């Protein structure tokens, strides 16, 4: 949703200043763009958590400890053995939150890559060729955009059967509409520029012009949108898992942990707090990074 | 856990007038009420006095209603509703397991045990005014036994003369059913059967208005014996169906119901009951705590307070005193399909028996339940106290691994498990999943709503599933014959268990009137079934209900649903 | 203008056609046999065959599609497998609760979002702006269902001010609306802020200010009014998000509406209900955006040329 700003006519690529050499004035740039670096830091930590989960988790995320539940079957709270408490089956929440990062990142990133490929392809072709090609592709995009992503993904996952790969596939295949629209708009603006016309006069093939000449010039908004998209897709996955049609147990995902927490939050609120907190921080990381990148790449949107 | 796959459960709700000693104080049912405190208004609260007519209650229901047709309904959720709408020939005496007359004013059984004669009440009417006659019952037997209907109750009545031929589609007539006059029904059996009267308490044996069914029924699918669709009902019972949709059922009082209490007041007392279907059991528990709903009982899938809310009820003294619990004749089990998937292999099934830690699962249910070692609950005559060693399994993951290796799965295997999707059930499923993972069995869970799940399980298409069975009547045959006779597969015998020797014993026990002999036969069956490992019996239920202090006349029936017809409310007289 | 409206209508029809094709294909991609689902597991094969024939499931796919559209045009969305009720009836029963909820959510977004937008624009690059912007970013990052549960925990369970979910009067509406409002308001805040900052640069605003109009007067009479136009357009796009968000809000607050119908249907693999709801939402989104676009073109003629 954060991509909305791009619905308004995009900034022409030539308006973007040459990227600053990051390495030179690192600290200055941290001071100039605190959001960007905070976002990047969060994402780095997230990646570390996901990659190192098997090493740093205190327990196996699926082991059901009998001392994770009280005698009457209530999850135990935070303790030395279970730093963030145990869940409704006596499993260690910290370990599950760490492993949950794997699922969120995997789904968020890969589905975004699928969005990106489809969106850029459709948007570029539509914008470049125009005419009936544009018309057909944009009506297809309209159809895709008419279905709210979560609801449509719910239906598709129901058809395919809930599993990690199907969730990933559904979000990837259904979520490219906004990207296509934004890319098309950018291409429309860029293709009239002289250097594009010049390439054409020199006899470059359409493919070359589209992907070698135009694409590099619109890469900024595409990167920003993709970054924000990762956060959104993580939320959609969590939503699906929360509804019970996403990642299936025993695989921990923050969404299905919150769903389980919904059953116990009154007697054991920590079952709800930590997976949700992890989810917010992760999504916030991508939103910060996306907004920060926008500030760098598109000065017109700068709000500072 | 509301996983009860149960059959038409006894109709303890609709108790005959005779049974109502002190109306409204339907004395705390079962002897085995281990209950706390005073909830079930055991006459100690005579302050409440004479029952008050009128008023309405709202109840939450955790499962959707699958069938409203008494010939088809065979699960706890549907049963709660259908039981209120139909009358049977005989029923259970209030909170006991004794049979008393109901629609039949009196009945007699011939010496040879083959002929049952019922004399019906003459003032009974369906809601639309059509009279209830002997033919109303005969029509229902024809429907239940019809080869096209697929009723789960068929097996109970095939003992009627000519019924097996009719059920097989060979004849058009059931010779054992006759009505010499409109208010006399004669049923002739082909063999004597010790528990035939008990089978007549089930909603399968209700009076139905054939004229009405034919006018509204589904003729496309069932030409000869149309069924109600799930929005229609026409009974003679205490409550009429007012509206039904996917999230709410409203029953209203049948003002012309024939039963009266000991004060001569007409039953039922309540004028309206609203059931909200609400899959979120936390919210359901809170609705009760906030006083919005009248009780949590059978309407929760036959299991009372959901486990996620149970700790709260127990830790809050104000709530705790509103609870009452009783051991139930029911069993929770994991079924292992003997004809489908890797569980075809007996060694795999036995490995699963060793791999499941029943105590851990009971803990997840807040300790409510007793470890089960066989399909029969200890409260039912025929329970086998001396299981053979081959029929006993203890929790032993190493033994399980070893058996799997023997079965040809040294590197593990994957099994699909089906169940209902209530939160508690999903929790148990995950426990099973985790326990089996330890021995190398990967369990893929398929959870769906109650009705959808039953569609798979009752078609015999679930390789592994979690179900429960509550008695229809307290006889071993209702567990062992119904669940393991190959003739009951797959609708009731969902594991497709089939063993000719077991069938032979079961049939022999079915028609024997020597209880000792029957017990011995059932012990043999139990040993064999357990050795064949068609089931992993998990635990026997302890039922815990919670009832508002202004609800009077509630009790936990020994079998069956909430006693809606005799419940009354009076907010000025609160118990406790 | 009429040419624009006609063109816009035509493309809406094309999109609706596309939507019907997609839902149709999804129905038939689902492996479960509809005839078997309707007949129930116990019905004999002959019954299943009869139903299959009655439904025309034995006909070629294009023909089935034509029948499908024909039925849709007659308001027939099929029959639920689980409840045996017409899907259209089931949806209609759930429309009101969802409409009420959606309205509440939308109002909450505006009530929270617009004042904050005005505030941040007037205090741009000051501390207040940074705080609100940071909060807005957090709001966007919050999962609806989690926030909803937290609010339930604090404001309904710990301090029992509000009911713990369910559908009823205004009291029931407040927490779900607040939940959605908090997560959705940020879009309005950001949009209004940037739009206001842009308007403030316009000549007529400078003129008004030069004429000595008070700051509040300038803000509300001139800036906000003009800056609201893109916000109104966004409401059209937001409609689609609202319908998605409502599914999660309904699941969290146990609100028996349209969203929970879709959600239950998906769990039951009740295909006609799933597709009925998905189809209806998509159609609603298309029609709503069509209406917004047409109204917009009437109000602001410049739009036709873009």
């Amino acid at each position: 949703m954060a991509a909305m700003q791009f619905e308004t006519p995009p900034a022409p690529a030539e308006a973007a200043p040459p990227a600053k050499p990051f390495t030179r004035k690192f600290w200055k740039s941290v001071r100039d763009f605190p959001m960007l670096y905070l976002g990047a830091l969060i994402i780095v930590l997230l990646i570390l958590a996901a990659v190192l989960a098997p090493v740093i988790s205190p327990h196996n995320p699926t082991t059901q400890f009998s001392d994770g539940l009280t005698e009457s079957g209530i999850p135990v709270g935070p303790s030395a053995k279970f730093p963030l408490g145990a869940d409704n089956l006596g499993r260690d929440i910290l370990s599950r939150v760490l492993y949950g990062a794997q699922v969120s990142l995997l789904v968020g990133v890969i589905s975004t890559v699928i969005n990106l490929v489809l969106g850029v392809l459709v948007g570029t072709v539509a914008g470049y060729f125009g005419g009936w090609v544009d018309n057909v592709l944009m009506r297809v995009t309209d159809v895709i955009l008419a279905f709210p992503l979560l609801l449509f993904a719910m239906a598709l996952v129901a058809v395919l059967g809930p599993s990690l790969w199907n969730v990933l596939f559904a979000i990837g295949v259904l979520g490219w509409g906004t990207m296509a629209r934004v890319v098309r708009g950018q291409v429309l603006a860029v293709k009239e520029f002289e250097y594009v016309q010049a390439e054409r006069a020199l006899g470059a093939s359409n493919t070359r012009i589209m992907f070698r000449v135009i694409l590099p010039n619109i890469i900024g908004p595409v990167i920003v949108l993709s970054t924000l998209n990762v956060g959104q897709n993580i939320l959609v996955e969590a939503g699906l898992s929360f509804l019970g049609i996403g990642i299936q147990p025993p695989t921990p995902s923050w969404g299905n942990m919150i769903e389980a927490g919904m059953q116990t939050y009154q007697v054991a609120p920590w079952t709800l707090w930590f997976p949700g907190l992890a989810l917010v921080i992760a999504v916030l990381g991508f939103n910060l990074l996306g907004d920060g990148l926008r500030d760098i790449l598109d000065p017109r949107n700068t709000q500072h | 856990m509301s996983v009860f796959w149960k059959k038409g459960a006894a109709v303890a709700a609709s108790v005959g007038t005779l049974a109502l000693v002190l109306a409204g104080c339907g004395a705390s049912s079962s002897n085995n009420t281990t209950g706390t405190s005073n909830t079930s208004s055991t006459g100690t609260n005579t302050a409440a006095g004479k029952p008050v007519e009128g008023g309405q209650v709202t109840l939450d229901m955790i499962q959707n209603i699958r069938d409203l047709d008494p010939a088809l309904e065979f699960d706890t959720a549907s049963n709660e509703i259908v039981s209120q709408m139909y009358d049977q020939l005989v029923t259970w005496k209030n909170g006991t397991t004794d049979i008393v007359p109901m629609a039949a004013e009196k009945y007699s059984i011939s010496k040879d045990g083959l002929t049952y004669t019922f004399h019906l009440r003459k003032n009974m009417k369906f809601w639309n005014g059509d009279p209830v006659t002997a033919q109303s019952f005969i029509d229902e037997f024809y429907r239940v036994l019809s080869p096209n209907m697929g009723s789960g109750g068929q097996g109970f009545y095939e003992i009627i003369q000519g019924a097996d031929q009719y059920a097989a589609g060979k004849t058009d007539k059931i010779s054992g059913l006759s009505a010499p006059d409109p208010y006399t029904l004669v049923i002739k059996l082909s063999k004597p059967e010790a528990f035939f009267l008990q089978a007549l308490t089930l909603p399968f044996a209700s009076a139905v208005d054939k004229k009405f069914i034919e006018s509204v029924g589904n003729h496309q699918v069932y030409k000869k014996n149309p069924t109600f669709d799930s929005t229609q009902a026409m009974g003679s019972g205490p409550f009429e169906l007012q509206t039904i949709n996917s999230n709410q059922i409203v029953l209203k009082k049948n003002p012309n119901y024939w039963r009266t209490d000991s004060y001569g007041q007409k039953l039922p007392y309540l004028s309206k009951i609203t059931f909200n279907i609400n899959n979120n059991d936390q919210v359901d528990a809170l609705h009760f705590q906030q006083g919005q709903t009248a009780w949590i009982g059978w309407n929760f899938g036959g299991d009372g307070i959901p486990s996620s809310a149970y700790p709260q009820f127990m830790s809050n003294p104000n709530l705790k005193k509103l609870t009452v619990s009783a051991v139930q004749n029911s069993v929770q089990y994991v079924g292992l399909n003997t004809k489908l998937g890797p569980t075809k292999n007996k060694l795999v099934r036995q490995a699963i028996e060793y791999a499941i830690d029943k105590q851990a699962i009971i803990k997840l249910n807040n300790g409510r339940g007793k470890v089960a070692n066989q399909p029969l609950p200890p409260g039912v005559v025929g329970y086998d106290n001396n299981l053979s060693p081959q029929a006993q399994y203890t929790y032993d993951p190493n033994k399980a691994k070893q058996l799997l290796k023997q079965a040809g799965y040294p590197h593990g295997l994957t099994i699909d498990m089906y169940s209902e999707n209530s939160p508690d059930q999903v929790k148990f499923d995950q426990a099973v999943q985790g326990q089996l993972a330890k021995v190398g069995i990967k369990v893929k869970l398929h959870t769906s709503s109650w009705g959808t799940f039953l569609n798979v399980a009752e078609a015999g298409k679930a390789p592994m599933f979690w179900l429960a069975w509550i008695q229809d009547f307290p006889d071993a045959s209702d567990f062992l014959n119904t669940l393991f006779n190959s003739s009951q597969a797959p609708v009731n015998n969902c594991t497709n268990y089939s063993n000719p020797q077991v069938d032979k014993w079961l049939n022999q026990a079915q028609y024997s009137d020597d209880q000792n002999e029957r017990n011995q036969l059932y012990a043999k069956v139990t040993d064999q079934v357990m050795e064949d490992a068609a089931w992993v019996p998990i635990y026997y239920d302890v039922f815990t209900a919670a009832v508002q202090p202004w609800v009077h006349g509630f009790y936990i029936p020994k079998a069956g649903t909430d006693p809606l017809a005799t419940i009354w409310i009076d907010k000025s007289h609160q118990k406790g | 203008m009429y040419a624009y409206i006609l063109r816009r209508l035509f493309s809406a029809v094309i999109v609706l056609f596309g939507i019907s094709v997609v839902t149709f294909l999804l129905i038939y991609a689902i492996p479960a046999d509809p005839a078997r689902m309707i007949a129930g597991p116990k019905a004999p094969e002959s019954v299943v065959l009869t139903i299959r024939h009655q439904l025309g499931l034995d006909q070629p796919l294009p023909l089935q599609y034509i029948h499908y559209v024909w039925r849709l045009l007659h308001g027939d969305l099929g029959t639920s497998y689980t409840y045996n009720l017409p899907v259209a009836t089931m949806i209609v029963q759930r429309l009101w609760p969802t409409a009420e909820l959606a309205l509440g959510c939308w109002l909450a977004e505006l009530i929270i979002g617009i004042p904050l937008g005005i505030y941040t624009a007037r205090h741009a690059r000051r501390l207040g702006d940074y705080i609100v912007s940071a909060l807005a970013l957090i709001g966007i990052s919050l999962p609806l269902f989690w926030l909803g549960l937290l609010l339930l925990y604090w404001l309904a369970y710990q301090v029992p001010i509000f009911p713990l979910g369910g559908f009823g009067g205004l009291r029931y509406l407040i927490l779900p609306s607040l939940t959605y409002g908090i997560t959705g308001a940020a879009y309005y805040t950001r949009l209004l802020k940037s739009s206001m900052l842009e308007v403030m640069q316009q000549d007529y605003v400078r003129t008004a200010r030069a004429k000595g109009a008070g700051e509040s007067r300038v803000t509300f009479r001139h800036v906000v009014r003009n800056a609201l136009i893109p916000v109104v357009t966004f409401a059209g796009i937001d409609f689609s998000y609202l319908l998605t968000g409502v599914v999660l809000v309904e699941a969290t607050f146990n609100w028996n509406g349209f969203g929970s119908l879709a959600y239950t249907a998906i769990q039951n693999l009740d295909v006609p209900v799933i597709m009925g709801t998905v189809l209806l939402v998509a159609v609603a989104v298309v029609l709503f955006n069509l209406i917004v676009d047409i109204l917009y073109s009437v109000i602001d003629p410049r739009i036709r040329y873009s």
Side-chain angles (χ1 to χ4, degrees):
Chain A
M1 284 203 257
M4 242 53 265
Q5 280 81 347
F6 282 115
E7 299 282 357
T8 52
E14 62 173 4
K20 287 178 190 168
F22 277 28
T23 41
R24 255 210 249 148
K25 299 175 182 169
F26 179 74
W27 287 111
K28 182 180 182 311
S29 78
V30 170
R31 242 189 5 256
D32 286 349
F33 304 102
M35 302 216 309
L36 178 82
Y37 285 93
L38 182 58
L41 180 70
I42 291 174
I43 292 167
V44 168
L45 289 177
L46 197 66
I47 295 171
L48 283 178
V51 173
L52 297 180
V55 185
I56 55 178
S57 292
H59 304 286
N60 180 318
T62 57
T63 304
Q64 301 169 10
F65 293 96
S66 66
D67 56 353
L69 296 172
T70 65
E71 269 320 298
S72 53
I74 302 171
V76 300
S79 65
K81 183 169 180 188
F82 307 109
L84 301 184
D87 75 356
N88 62 344
L89 283 153
R91 297 175 296 201
D92 178 43
I93 291 184
L94 174 60
S95 308
R96 292 180 69 72
V97 167
L98 290 171
Y99 274 88
Q102 292 183 340
V103 168
S104 287
L105 272 183
L106 197 68
V107 174
V109 172
I110 298 189
S111 64
T112 297
V113 169
I114 302 176
N115 289 167
L116 186 72
V117 170
L118 290 173
V120 167
L121 203 65
V122 171
T124 312
V125 170
Y128 182 75
F129 288 105
W132 68 267
V133 175
D134 182 27
N135 236 316
V136 168
L137 289 177
M138 281 304 108
R139 292 301 82 75
V140 172
T141 310
D142 285 347
V143 171
I144 286 286
L145 281 171
F147 295 100
L149 180 56
L150 180 81
L151 200 61
F152 202 9
M154 270 166 78
L156 190 58
V157 173
V159 172
L160 300 170
S163 78
L164 176 71
W165 296 106
N166 288 345
V167 166
L168 207 152
F169 174 77
I171 302 176
V173 161
L174 303 176
W176 51 267
T178 315
M179 178 69 77
R181 271 199 187 165
V182 170
V183 169
R184 172 180 173 271
Q186 299 280 337
V187 171
L188 280 179
V190 171
K191 80 171 178 184
E192 301 306 330
F193 293 150
E194 278 166 22
Y195 60 90
V196 178
Q197 301 298 337
E199 283 282 335
R200 190 174 291 159
L202 288 172
S205 70
N206 284 335
T207 327
R208 187 187 146 77
I209 298 176
M210 279 191 286
F211 297 105
R212 288 286 175 81
V213 181
I214 296 180
L215 203 54
N217 277 287
I218 60 168
I219 206 75
V222 170
I223 289 175
V224 173
L225 190 53
S226 301
T227 311
L228 296 170
N229 209 36
V230 175
Q232 292 307 313
N233 286 359
I234 287 177
L235 275 183
V236 173
E237 178 277 314
L240 287 173
S241 299
F242 171 73
L243 294 173
I245 44 180
I247 310 304
Q248 295 300 296
T251 308
S253 112
W254 297 330
N256 69 27
M257 290 176 74
I258 293 173
E259 186 210 8
M262 193 171 168
Q263 301 308 319
T264 45
Y265 73 90
Q266 291 169 8
V267 285
W270 52 88
T271 55
L272 187 63
W273 289 339
F274 299 112
L277 215 52
L279 185 54
V280 176
I281 292 172
V283 177
L284 190 62
F286 284 100
N287 284 344
L288 283 168
L289 186 68
D291 280 5
L293 285 172
R294 193 202 333 256
D295 290 350
I296 290 182
L297 298 171
D298 181 3
R300 277 218 328 189
N301 268 310
T302 305
Q303 290 167 10
H304 293 276
Chain B
M1 58 244 55
S2 48
V3 206
F4 283 167
W5 173 19
K6 76 150 301 230
K7 342 199 309 164
V11 205
S14 14
V15 182
T17 30
L18 291 174
L20 284 168
V21 183
L22 206 158
C25 298
S28 170
S29 71
S30 25
N31 337 341
N32 46 12
T33 294
T34 54
T36 48
S37 79
N38 49 4
T39 339
S40 44
S41 82
T42 31
T44 47
N45 259 297
T46 37
K50 204 170 140 184
V52 179
E53 237 186 287
Q56 51 172 295
V57 297
T58 302
L59 299 171
D60 278 321
M61 215 164 178
I62 205 150
Q63 295 159 334
N64 59 319
I65 302 302
R66 185 169 179 241
D67 292 301
L68 277 186
D69 190 321
L72 295 176
E73 78 79 17
F74 209 14
D75 66 88
T76 42
S78 308
N79 191 236
E80 171 95 353
I81 306 294
V82 173
S83 297
Q84 313 313 322
M85 303 196 296
Y86 291 90
D87 282 331
Q88 294 78 37
L89 290 164
V90 290
T91 191
W92 306 103
K93 186 174 167 184
N94 202 349
T96 71
T97 53
D98 303 336
I99 301 270
V100 291
M102 191 182 180
E105 218 158 10
K106 54 183 198 270
Y107 62 87
S108 57
I109 307 170
S110 66
K111 281 242 173 62
D112 59 6
L114 289 177
T115 308
Y116 287 66
T117 309
F118 297 92
H119 302 278
L120 305 189
R121 290 173 200 281
K122 296 198 171 61
N123 54 354
M124 291 175 62
K125 284 191 167 49
F126 292 104
W127 309 327
N128 60 4
D130 290 351
V132 175
T133 63
Q135 191 59 39
S136 312
F137 289 94
I138 293 178
D139 290 340
E140 177 71 347
F141 284 121
Y142 272 93
R143 299 179 70 235
V144 169
L145 287 161
S146 159
N148 284 331
M149 186 73 97
S151 166
Q154 204 170 318
F156 295 121
Y157 311 105
E158 280 179 343
I159 192 152
I160 298 171
Q161 253 180 41
D164 49 348
Q165 293 287 313
Y166 171 78
K170 289 178 187 152
T171 57
D172 277 351
K173 227 177 128 37
I174 303 173
S175 56
L177 293 171
S178 59
D181 69 71
Y183 296 100
T184 307
L185 171 65
V186 179
I187 303 177
K188 288 204 167 85
L189 305 187
S190 51
K191 291 174 227 169
E193 185 180 77
F195 50 87
F196 184 67
L197 269 184
Q198 302 188 354
L200 292 181
T201 64
L202 305 179
F204 293 124
S206 299
V208 297
D209 187 356
K210 194 177 185 200
K211 228 168 58 194
F212 180 82
I213 303 177
E214 281 179 345
S215 68
V216 303
N218 183 349
H219 293 268
Q220 291 178 331
V221 181
Y222 304 100
K223 281 203 180 58
K224 239 183 184 165
N225 287 291
T227 61
F228 288 112
D229 66 23
S230 57
T231 59
Q232 299 272 5
M234 181 53 65
S236 55
F239 289 97
E240 295 179 30
L241 183 66
Q242 184 169 321
T243 56
I244 178 166
N245 60 43
S246 52
N247 56 328
Q248 194 183 62
I249 298 125
V250 181
L251 299 181
K252 63 172 187 199
K253 174 182 183 154
N254 169 6
N256 303 314
Y257 194 51
W258 55 271
R259 276 174 62 200
T260 50
D261 66 14
S262 58
Y263 294 96
Q265 288 195 98
K266 276 177 95 73
L267 291 176
Y269 304 117
L270 293 172
S271 55
K272 193 169 138 190
I273 305 171
T274 305
F275 293 92
N276 290 319
I277 297 170
N278 224 338
N279 191 243
N280 182 335
D281 53 16
Q282 287 248 305
V283 173
D284 296 339
L286 273 139
H287 284 163
F288 177 80
Q289 289 179 33
Q290 294 169 341
Q292 296 177 36
T293 51
W295 64 82
I296 293 177
W298 184 269
N299 45 325
F300 275 65
D303 196 47
I305 304 173
S307 103
S308 57
Y310 188 77
Q312 248 174 288
F313 276 82
M314 289 301 117
S315 57
N316 178 339
N318 287 328
L319 286 173
K320 191 174 179 181
K321 71 181 182 193
L322 300 180
T323 63
V324 54
S325 51
V327 178
Q328 234 183 5
N329 280 340
S330 62
V331 58
Q332 302 278 340
Y333 69 96
V334 171
L336 305 172
N337 204 315
T338 59
K339 294 281 186 298
L340 197 71
T343 49
K344 270 196 297 205
N345 186 333
K346 180 168 154 185
L347 290 170
V348 172
R349 300 200 299 269
Q350 288 176 332
I352 295 173
E353 297 270 3
Y354 282 111
I356 291 182
D357 181 356
K358 299 172 187 179
Q359 202 64 56
I361 294 172
I362 293 173
K363 191 174 175 185
L364 290 178
N365 197 32
N366 318 110
R368 290 176 296 167
K370 286 162 63 178
V371 170
N373 62 352
Q374 59 183 292
L376 269 185
V380 175
V381 177
Y383 177 81
D384 190 354
N385 282 312
N386 302 300
L387 277 178
S388 79
Q390 290 84 14
Q392 295 186 41
Y393 306 92
T394 43
Y395 176 56
D396 186 351
N398 288 328
K399 178 105 189 188
K401 279 186 208 159
Q402 190 191 324
L403 282 165
L404 283 178
K405 204 177 282 174
Q406 236 174 298
Y409 295 102
H411 307 299
L413 66 155
T414 304
I415 302 181
D416 293 86
M417 178 171 172
Y418 287 76
S419 80
E420 189 218 3
N421 62 1
S422 75
D424 281 359
Q425 182 57 52
V426 173
K427 198 163 80 169
F428 300 150
D429 289 349
Q430 289 191 59
V432 169
Q433 191 182 39
Q435 290 161 8
L436 293 189
K438 278 191 199 158
V439 303
I441 300 176
K442 200 174 158 232
V443 174
K444 202 167 166 234
L445 295 179
H446 303 265
T447 59
S448 55
S449 75
W450 180 236
T452 310
F453 158 60
L454 286 187
N455 282 349
V456 178
E458 290 188 349
K461 285 181 184 155
M464 183 167 158
F465 55 89
W466 181 301
L467 265 177
W469 188 260
I470 305 179
Q471 66 175 5
D472 300 295
F473 43 82
D475 190 283
S477 78
D478 182 44
F479 286 80
L480 299 175
N481 189 58
T482 313
L483 301 168
F484 297 103
N485 197 319
S486 63
S487 67
Q488 297 280 351
V491 175
N492 293 331
N493 174 355
C494 299
T495 61
N496 294 309
Y497 180 75
S498 166
N499 181 329
Q501 180 61 57
V502 167
D503 284 353
K504 213 177 121 200
W505 288 330
L506 284 171
N507 293 338
Q508 211 178 327
Q510 194 82 344
Y511 308 119
S512 160
D513 48 9
D514 177 349
Q515 193 57 43
N516 266 337
E517 190 198 354
R518 293 185 75 208
N519 290 349
Q520 279 168 17
L521 287 165
Y522 284 134
K524 279 191 200 169
V525 169
T526 301
D527 281 341
Q528 189 60 49
V529 165
M530 286 309 296
E531 195 188 326
D532 288 339
W535 274 31
V536 185
I538 308 288
Y539 65 87
Y540 307 118
D541 292 279
V542 175
F543 182 98
T544 310
V547 188
Q548 299 290 2
W550 38 266
V551 171
H552 305 272
F554 183 93
Y555 59 90
I556 300 180
K558 273 204 136 175
T561 68
D562 298 320
L564 290 173
T566 54
I567 283 175
W568 50 283
I569 56 170
D570 183 356
K571 297 208 177 175
S572 62
H573 287 97
Q574 305 218 346
K575 293 163 296 180
Chain C
M1 189 168 77
Y2 293 109
Y4 169 78
I5 292 176
L6 268 178
R7 221 171 50 229
R8 193 65 191 74
L9 273 174
F10 180 70
S11 84
V13 169
I14 300 275
V15 170
L16 289 175
F17 165 76
I19 289 169
S20 73
V21 172
V22 170
T23 48
F24 172 78
L25 288 178
L26 271 179
I27 293 178
Y28 290 91
I30 289 185
D33 175 359
R36 172 52 77 184
M37 296 292 281
I38 291 167
K42 299 170 201 165
E45 197 54 35
S46 59
V47 171
V48 178
L49 282 174
T50 316
I51 295 178
R52 192 169 295 147
H53 184 68
Q54 281 166 357
L55 293 178
L57 294 173
D58 45 2
Q59 290 170 330
L61 219 58
L63 210 58
Q64 288 191 38
Y65 172 74
I66 292 170
H67 288 306
Y68 171 74
V69 172
W70 183 249
R71 286 196 300 267
L72 284 186
L73 292 175
H74 289 79
D76 179 1
L77 294 173
T79 306
S80 156
Y81 296 158
T82 321
Y83 299 102
N84 276 321
L85 297 169
V87 174
T89 316
M90 289 172 71
I91 290 178
V92 168
Q93 280 171 352
R94 305 290 191 107
L95 273 186
W96 173 242
T98 296
E100 191 180 300
L101 181 63
L103 191 68
C105 291
W106 189 62
L107 285 177
E109 278 186 303
L110 296 184
I111 291 170
I112 300 170
I114 290 187
L116 287 179
I118 296 173
Y119 176 84
T120 48
R122 289 186 64 179
H123 297 80
R125 291 165 198 244
R126 275 184 264 163
L127 184 66
D129 175 26
Y130 291 133
I131 292 175
V132 173
S133 298
L135 287 177
L137 203 61
I138 293 174
I140 289 176
S141 309
L142 278 172
L144 264 182
F145 46 97
W146 187 63
L147 177 64
L149 289 170
L150 290 187
L151 290 180
L152 278 176
Y153 179 73
W154 285 316
L155 297 179
Y157 179 69
Q158 289 290 5
V159 189
I161 304 172
F162 296 105
L164 269 146
F167 169 64
L170 196 62
R171 247 161 50 81
Y172 290 84
L173 191 59
I174 293 175
L175 279 190
S177 303
L178 191 62
T179 305
Y180 191 85
I182 290 174
T183 59
Y187 295 104
Y188 286 94
T189 303
R190 287 176 151 202
L191 197 62
L192 187 58
K193 178 185 163 190
S194 62
S195 160
M196 275 177 68
L197 288 177
E198 208 164 298
V199 173
M200 282 175 185
Q201 307 300 317
Q202 304 290 324
D203 290 341
Y204 61 89
V205 176
R206 292 173 196 215
T207 313
R209 212 173 258 139
K211 279 175 161 175
E215 194 55 32
S216 299
R217 190 182 152 84
V218 171
T219 305
F220 290 98
R221 281 291 294 270
H222 299 281
V223 179
V224 175
R225 268 174 61 180
N226 289 296
L228 273 176
I229 294 174
V231 175
V232 172
T233 332
F234 178 69
I237 298 157
D238 190 32
F239 185 70
S240 160
Y241 296 131
L242 204 55
L243 289 175
T244 305
V246 154
V247 176
L248 290 170
V249 174
E250 287 187 1
T252 311
F253 288 91
N254 217 50
W255 190 277
N256 257 322
F258 186 82
S260 56
L261 179 70
Y263 156 63
T264 329
I266 280 168
Q267 293 200 317
N268 296 344
L269 218 59
D270 194 343
V271 183
V273 179
I274 301 174
M275 291 315 150
T277 48
V278 170
L279 180 84
L280 218 73
V281 167
V283 170
V285 169
V286 169
L287 293 183
F288 194 84
N289 280 307
L290 179 69
I291 292 167
V292 169
D293 282 359
I294 289 178
L295 283 180
Y296 208 70
S297 79
V298 174
I299 298 166
D300 183 356
R302 279 174 307 171
I303 200 78
R304 275 175 283 156
Y305 306 110
S306 65

